[in-house]
Every structure is written in C-alpha cells, then in structure tokens.
C-alpha cells in the first residue's frame, strides 16, 4: 500500500485528489497550511471510509524548516512518501504595476519554492534511496500561455512546468517519474468571486462549453501516478476542456 502526500489537500482540488487516492487503496497524508481542522476532518473521514492509514500535517511550504518538520512527522508516523502531489498554491488578480514586492515573493514562495522544498526533501529522504517514486506537480493553463492581471501567478506556474521537465530528465535513471497537470477553469472556492456572466463567458471560450470539476483533475492525477502511466514522465497534461490547445 503506497503512501501519498497531497499538499493543499484540504482545498477543493486537493480534497478530490485525496479521495481518489483513498478510493484506490493508498494511505493518504493531507497537508494544509492554515486549514488544520479541514485537513484533520478529511483525514479522519478517509481513514474511516476506506480503511486506510491517514495523517494530517500542517506547514508553510515556502519555509524549508517548516517543510523539514513536516517530513519529520511523516517519518515517525508513516515511514515514507511514495507519491508526492504538489497541489498547494495561491492565486491573485492584480495589475502588474500594482504588485508589491511582498505579493511577488509570497506567490513565488508558495507556488514555486514550495514545490522545490517538498520535492527535494521527498527525493532525498525516500525516492532516490528506494530507486522509485512519483512526483506530480499541479500547475495551471496560465503557466502555459500567461494571463493578463495574473503575471506573478502565471510566472510561478510557468516555473513549475520548467521544473517538471528538467527534473524528469535528472531523476529518470533513479526510477522516479515527474509529471505535471495544467488545470483549466475549475469550479472551486477560488471561483466564488466571479459573477455568473463571467463564468458563462469562460464556458463559451471552451470547446466543450463547460468548466471543470475537482474530480476531473483528480482522475488525471490518479492515472499519472499509477502503474498505468509507468512509461510517462516529463509530460505536461492540460485538463482544461480545450480552453488552451
């Protein structure tokens, strides 16, 4: 039974990913930053529902010491991480000229440095020693093509794509696969600030004329982390309804 760590596991997409892996029989480690109650509740529900071992951990992934402390807890309770899903992230809409230094550093710190911190530690502690493992990064379609008024977000997510491709080349011979999903517009809490007209406009821009759900991303994540995808690494999968082709 494999152990899966999902960063941002208590969020909309993160929760769906945790459920998908639990249903597949994996032990699930639910990471959060501030939503500790949500992570604990989700871990308990998954453990009770699917008869798996679960753990809730909290850490600011932009802080390496906090990440190391998180992995120390995982070492003591779960033993190792076989699959890492770097899902945690933040977003913000703002004119480029209005972005402050702190906002830039916060965006890069969580969305890109967080991926670096969690991935490097998982590789050093477990995957390189065992000569096996899977890393899945969650980027965004805006990391592929860029979004107006989301320059810092787009830059951070583009960095995740570059990290994925380069790392896949580096650790392939060590038996570790690294892939990336770029979600399109997905109906999560992040969409609550958009009015109905804007949501309908986004639907119309998609060839499928619909928006995604967290389960759409979770299904793709489960596949890329499974043995069915054992010949897939360094790939960027757009799950966006055709919004970006």
């Amino acid at each position: 039974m494999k152990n899966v760590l999902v960063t941002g596991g208590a969020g909309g997409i993160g929760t769906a990913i945790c459920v998908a892996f639990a249903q597949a029989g994996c032990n699930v480690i639910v990471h959060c930053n501030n939503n500790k109650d949500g992570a604990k509740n989700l871990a308990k529900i998954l453990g009770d529902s699917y008869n798996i071992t679960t753990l809730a951990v909290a850490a600011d992934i932009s802080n390496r010491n906090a990440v190391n402390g998180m992995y120390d807890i995982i070492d003591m309770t779960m033993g190792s991480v076989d699959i890492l899903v770097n899902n945690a992230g933040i977003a913000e809409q703002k004119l480029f000229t209005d972005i402050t230094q702190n906002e830039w550093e916060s965006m890069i710190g969580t969305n890109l440095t967080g991926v670096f911190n969690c991935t490097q530690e998982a590789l050093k502690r477990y995957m390189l020693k065992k000569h096996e493992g899977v890393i899945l990064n969650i980027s965004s379609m805006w990391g592929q093509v860029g979004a107006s008024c989301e320059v810092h977000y787009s830059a951070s997510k583009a960095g995740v794509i570059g990290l994925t491709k380069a790392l896949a080349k580096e650790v392939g011979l060590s038996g570790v696969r690294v892939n990336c999903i770029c979600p399109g517009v997905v109906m999560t809490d992040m969409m609550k600030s958009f009015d109905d007209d804007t949501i309908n406009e986004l639907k119309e821009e998609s060839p499928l004329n619909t928006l995604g759900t967290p389960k759409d991303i979770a299904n793709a994540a489960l596949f890329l982390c499974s043995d069915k995808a054992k010949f897939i690494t360094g790939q960027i999968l757009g799950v966006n309804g055709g919004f970006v082709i």
Side-chain angles (χ1 to χ4, degrees):
M1 188 177 286
K2 294 183 178 180
N3 296 336
V4 181
L5 168 59
V6 182
T7 68
I13 291 176
T15 294
I17 292 173
C18 288
V19 170
F21 278 101
Q23 290 174 336
C26 296
N27 298 321
V28 178
I29 304 160
V30 184
H31 159 269
C32 69
N33 186 13
N34 298 315
N35 189 12
K36 295 179 181 179
D37 288 341
K40 289 179 180 178
N41 290 337
L42 177 60
K44 185 178 186 310
I45 290 171
L46 294 178
D48 292 343
S49 300
Y50 301 103
N51 194 29
I52 58 171
T53 301
T54 60
L55 173 69
V57 290
D60 175 0
I61 59 172
S62 70
N63 183 306
R64 187 54 177 261
N65 289 332
V67 169
N68 290 347
M70 174 183 72
Y71 276 109
D72 287 342
I73 294 172
I74 292 171
D75 284 346
M76 291 184 292
T77 55
M78 306 291 284
S80 67
V81 171
D82 303 298
I83 299 170
L84 168 63
V85 181
N86 285 306
N87 167 73
I90 58 175
E92 182 181 47
Q93 291 185 311
K94 203 165 191 180
L95 284 172
F96 177 72
T97 50
D98 290 338
I99 297 171
T100 67
Q101 186 73 26
N102 286 339
E103 288 168 342
W104 173 267
E105 292 175 357
S106 176
M107 186 70 68
I108 299 298
T110 298
N111 291 0
L112 184 54
T113 304
V115 172
F116 166 78
N117 288 337
C118 293
T119 300
Q120 189 180 66
E121 202 62 27
L123 285 169
K124 291 166 66 175
R125 291 196 186 213
Y126 319 115
M127 297 181 182
L128 296 181
K129 294 176 182 178
K130 296 171 66 175
H131 209 74
E132 64 178 2
V134 179
I135 296 164
L136 178 65
N137 300 320
I138 308 299
S139 178
S140 166
M141 65 179 180
W142 301 134
Q144 296 175 289
V145 299
S148 174
C149 296
E150 293 187 65
V151 171
H152 49 342
Y153 178 77
S154 300
S156 68
K157 291 300 189 179
V160 171
I161 292 172
L163 184 153
T164 299
K165 293 181 177 181
L167 186 60
K169 294 180 178 180
E170 184 172 328
V171 299
L173 289 177
S174 298
V176 180
R177 297 191 298 105
V178 188
N179 289 296
C180 179
I181 291 175
C182 289
V185 183
V186 179
M187 292 303 297
T188 66
D189 287 344
M190 285 186 178
M191 294 296 295
K192 286 184 176 179
S193 61
F194 292 85
D195 58 33
D196 290 341
D197 289 340
T198 301
I199 290 176
N200 287 332
E201 288 175 4
L202 291 169
K203 286 182 181 179
E204 290 173 1
E205 289 189 51
S206 166
L208 294 181
N209 196 33
T210 187
L211 302 184
T213 68
K215 190 173 181 179
D216 293 323
I217 310 304
N219 288 339
L222 185 62
F223 167 72
L224 285 174
C225 293
S226 73
D227 289 341
K228 293 179 181 179
K230 65 181 180 179
F231 196 52
I232 300 176
T233 195
Q235 301 306 303
I236 312 303
L237 177 63
V239 185
N240 57 45
F243 200 103
V244 171
I245 297 177

